[in-house]
Amino acid sequence: MEFRYLGNSGLKISEIIYGNWLTHASQVDDDTASKSIHAALDAGISSFDTADAYANTAAEVVLGDALKGERRESLEIFTKVYWPTGPGGKNDTGLSRKHIMESINGSLKRLGTDYVDLYQAHRFDYETPIEETMQAFADIVRQGKALYIGVSEWNADQIREGHKLATELGFQLISNQPQYNMLWRVIEREVVPTCEELGLSQIVFSPIAQGILTGKYVPGQPVPEGSRATDEKGGKNMISRWMRDDILTAVQNLKPIAEELDLTLAQLAVAWVLQNPNVAAAIVGASRPEQIASNAAAAGVKLEASVMARIDEAIGSVAETDPSLTQSPASRVA
């Protein structure tokens, strides 16, 4: 496993982060989830990403239980606040001081820890003054409940404003967590340059584009049984935007490149996002423990400029680059 600094800070995190967005307390049973977490530890992964909204707080419980007995100082635990939790009352969502303060206490209890290494604003809150939000984060840092603060899916202007307030309040804003992969590159034109200037790193989710970049979906052929494309509870809708023949054909064009490098398509996809110098880490999930070691093997892979050019040629015009598209439909709650 390779490690990188997160933003302009002294915090090192693993290049591959284990995340439990769609799996724990929902798609997989707790025993499988625990085995997957320990497989991540065995693979050298030390950073774990979750959120209070995942499975309506239950995913944090699963992660906390699985990490019991591990040396806390050897782990980097990240969680997030914004989306509705609990019964969904009027103050059970957003980035108000009330919701943030109550949410951090709930997350710490569920995770079984006194602090999180990174606490993230899960989205930008247009209804709460950003000054109120950043003051609450500053107080949480001073209380020792979070060591660092990050954001998720904020655009360049929002990141700039948040960074300015954080600096004035005496703490660091060190990361942004966007969706980023070969097919979804909207952060490259504005968000990445802004973060490079201000000293933030990207922690990217969906590096495999919800499984599309594994190559398992072939144009003109039935979707594999048990895949996300067959999940009528939401998974099918989540990836529907990617299930176009032109996109699926472009992904199949990547196969010769991966084979020449002795990589799976998934490993190539994860390695691709890690070539961006502003990306500190890629978040991967797993529904089975054996998937972890394979994904973790993408850490440290170096792709030559010629390979990157061939990938661009294979993907062609199907890659989305419009920076006005701050979120894709698949990114909700991620």
Side-chain angles (χ1 to χ4, degrees):
M1 182 54 58
E2 301 286 330
F3 301 89
R4 299 184 182 186
Y5 286 105
L6 186 56
N8 188 22
S9 79
L11 178 66
K12 290 182 179 180
I13 64 173
S14 51
E15 280 189 348
I16 307 297
I17 296 174
Y18 182 88
N20 69 352
W21 167 27
L22 293 170
T23 50
H24 295 181
S26 52
Q27 292 183 348
V28 302
D29 60 75
D30 291 356
D31 182 61
T32 300
S34 181
K35 289 178 179 177
S36 296
I37 290 168
H38 284 91
L41 291 166
D42 291 342
I45 294 172
S46 63
S47 305
F48 295 84
D49 181 83
T50 187
D52 58 3
Y54 296 168
N56 196 14
T57 72
E60 286 184 324
V61 175
V62 174
L63 180 62
D65 287 346
L67 291 176
K68 283 180 180 176
E70 300 295 326
R71 182 176 183 269
R72 178 63 183 89
E73 293 82 356
S74 298
L75 305 173
E76 301 84 45
I77 299 176
F78 312 156
T79 193
K80 313 180 196 75
V81 56
Y82 171 80
W83 293 108
T85 54
K90 59 186 182 299
N91 288 310
D92 290 341
T93 188
L95 298 178
S96 68
R97 182 179 183 85
K98 176 177 174 62
H99 185 56
I100 289 174
M101 290 300 188
E102 292 171 349
S103 294
I104 186 63
N105 290 334
S107 289
L108 295 179
K109 182 178 180 180
R110 289 185 291 270
L111 290 165
T113 182
D114 294 330
Y115 68 94
V116 292
D117 297 273
L118 182 69
Y119 199 42
Q120 302 160 97
H122 210 159
R123 289 297 184 272
F124 187 82
D125 186 350
Y126 291 92
E127 298 182 351
T128 299
I130 190 172
E131 293 82 1
E132 176 180 341
T133 295
M134 300 312 285
Q135 182 64 66
F137 283 142
D139 291 343
I140 284 172
V141 170
R142 292 191 179 95
Q143 292 167 7
K145 295 178 180 180
L147 304 185
Y148 300 92
I149 300 298
V151 300
S152 177
E153 292 273 63
W154 284 26
N155 65 34
D157 290 340
Q158 293 162 352
I159 289 169
R160 188 174 295 280
E161 186 176 8
H163 178 271
K164 179 178 181 293
L165 287 168
T167 300
E168 292 173 355
L169 291 165
F171 72 95
Q172 289 179 278
L173 192 64
I174 65 169
S175 65
N176 177 48
Q177 186 177 132
Q179 181 170 198
Y180 183 52
N181 54 59
M182 294 178 186
L183 300 173
W184 188 261
R185 307 184 185 188
V186 300
I187 65 170
E188 291 181 342
R189 286 170 57 185
E190 295 180 0
V191 169
V192 166
T194 297
C195 289
E196 288 177 333
E197 173 194 343
L198 300 177
L200 283 76
S201 292
Q202 310 302 317
I203 300 172
V204 304
F205 70 88
S206 293
I208 310 174
Q210 311 295 311
I212 297 296
L213 288 169
T214 65
K216 62 185 174 183
Y217 301 111
V218 180
Q221 295 187 17
V223 297
E225 289 296 325
S227 67
R228 186 165 294 167
T230 65
D231 179 14
E232 299 292 345
K233 295 180 180 179
K236 183 177 180 179
N237 291 335
M238 189 175 296
I239 67 169
S240 61
R241 72 176 314 276
W242 306 117
M243 296 293 289
R244 303 189 334 237
D245 282 354
D246 59 339
I247 291 178
L248 300 182
T249 299
V251 173
Q252 295 302 310
N253 291 338
L254 295 170
K255 279 189 172 181
I257 302 174
E259 289 170 357
E260 289 175 23
L261 298 171
D262 197 24
L263 299 172
T264 66
L265 279 178
Q267 290 167 343
L268 181 67
V270 174
W272 183 87
V273 302
L274 291 173
Q275 304 310 297
N276 188 319
N278 191 233
V279 171
I283 300 173
V284 301
S287 56
R288 304 185 308 277
E290 53 268 25
Q291 294 174 323
I292 298 297
S294 179
N295 287 330
V301 171
K302 307 301 180 186
L303 302 180
E304 299 292 337
S306 59
V307 173
M308 297 293 282
R310 289 176 63 193
I311 290 172
D312 286 345
E313 183 179 358
I315 293 297
S317 61
V318 301
E320 186 57 73
T321 61
D322 184 354
S324 68
L325 299 171
T326 55
Q327 298 175 27
S328 82
S331 75
R332 191 185 185 280
V333 188

